[in-house]
Amino acid sequence: MTPYRIALYYAPEAHDPLHQRASAWLGRDAVSGAALPQKPVAGADIAEITADARGYGFHATLKPPFRLQGDVQVALQMARDFAERTAPFTLPPLHVTDLDGFLALREATPCPALQALADGCVMALDAHRAPPTEAEIARRKPENLSPRQREYLAAWGYPYVFAEWRFHMTLTRRLTPAEKTIILPAVTKALGDSPGVARSVADICVFAQAAPGAPFTILERLTLRG
């Protein structure tokens, strides 16, 4: 069956404590698709605060979700070919950051290899990306975007690629200042020391969404062999 949408993401392997702790925080494992019980956070509706991130699964976006045009197997083979010619590298330690009101894990030090990976992923599968509909474009609110972001939206179907891309692994929706005072220490405690360990980016993942509104799960993990 052809997925409704696919994406290229970075996601830690299932045995990585970061995957396990972050998945428990979000309430779903994107590897198995299983729902996970969330520990309550006093003074906050943790299920609601993590709902959007839970649907996408714990990840960092490389090639944003897109509808396919053409054969999904051909697109997957192009993704495999891209992984074959891409070299693994070391991901710097991560830390919880306020990113425009969202809490997310970001790299502690600059990593040019991350940017190069994301740029390559955006280009590698673009021939198989169906053009966005008018409704999809409208949801991006182009009137609020910068000129460069509008150019990226028109050319690549998403405004936050290339020079506008920032590595992040989303943990919450946008929070109010009062919510942040509760959630920041809670998520920091929940993740423990797992983000602060340097780890190898040795693969990328094809995530798939079966139908509109359905959660994303890992369709295939592609080893970097360049």
Side-chain angles (χ1 to χ4, degrees), residues 4 7 13 28 32 36 39 53 64 84 86 88 99 116 156 159 163-164 169 188 190 203 206 213 224:
Y4 172 63
E13 294 192 46
R28 189 174 68 88
S32 66
L36 301 174
K39 290 185 178 179
E84 285 285 339
T86 301
L99 182 65
W156 303 97
E164 297 291 335
M169 308 186 83
T188 302
D203 51 47
V206 180
L224 304 184

Side-chain angles (χ1 to χ4, degrees), residues 117-223:
L117 178 64
D119 293 352
C121 285
V122 168
M123 294 183 286
L125 291 184
D126 209 61
H128 291 272
R129 175 179 58 85
T133 64
E134 290 185 6
E136 289 170 336
I137 292 174
R139 281 199 292 273
R140 298 295 173 196
K141 298 182 178 179
E143 67 277 7
N144 296 334
L145 299 176
S146 69
R148 181 166 63 188
Q149 289 168 348
R150 288 195 293 271
E151 289 176 6
Y152 287 161
L153 178 60
W156 303 97
Y158 195 71
Y160 307 112
V161 294
F162 303 117
E164 297 291 335
W165 180 79
R166 291 180 289 180
F167 175 90
H168 63 284
M169 308 186 83
T170 304
L171 300 166
T172 70
R173 60 157 168 76
R174 184 173 279 114
L175 303 175
T176 66
E179 288 173 329
K180 182 182 172 183
T181 64
I182 297 171
I183 299 301
L184 178 56
V187 70
T188 302
K189 180 179 179 180
L191 298 180
D193 59 5
S194 62
V197 178
R199 48 182 43 84
S200 176
V201 177
D203 51 47
I204 57 176
C205 296
V206 180
F207 273 56
Q209 183 185 36
F216 280 80
T217 55
I218 295 178
L219 178 63
E220 188 169 342
R221 190 176 287 272
L222 310 175
T223 302

Side-chain angles (χ1 to χ4, degrees), residues 88-111:
F89 58 92
T90 299
L91 179 70
L94 306 176
H95 62 116
V96 180
T97 304
D98 183 334
L99 182 65
D100 302 329
F102 297 85
L103 294 185
L105 288 174
R106 299 204 66 209
E107 69 274 39
T109 57
C111 183

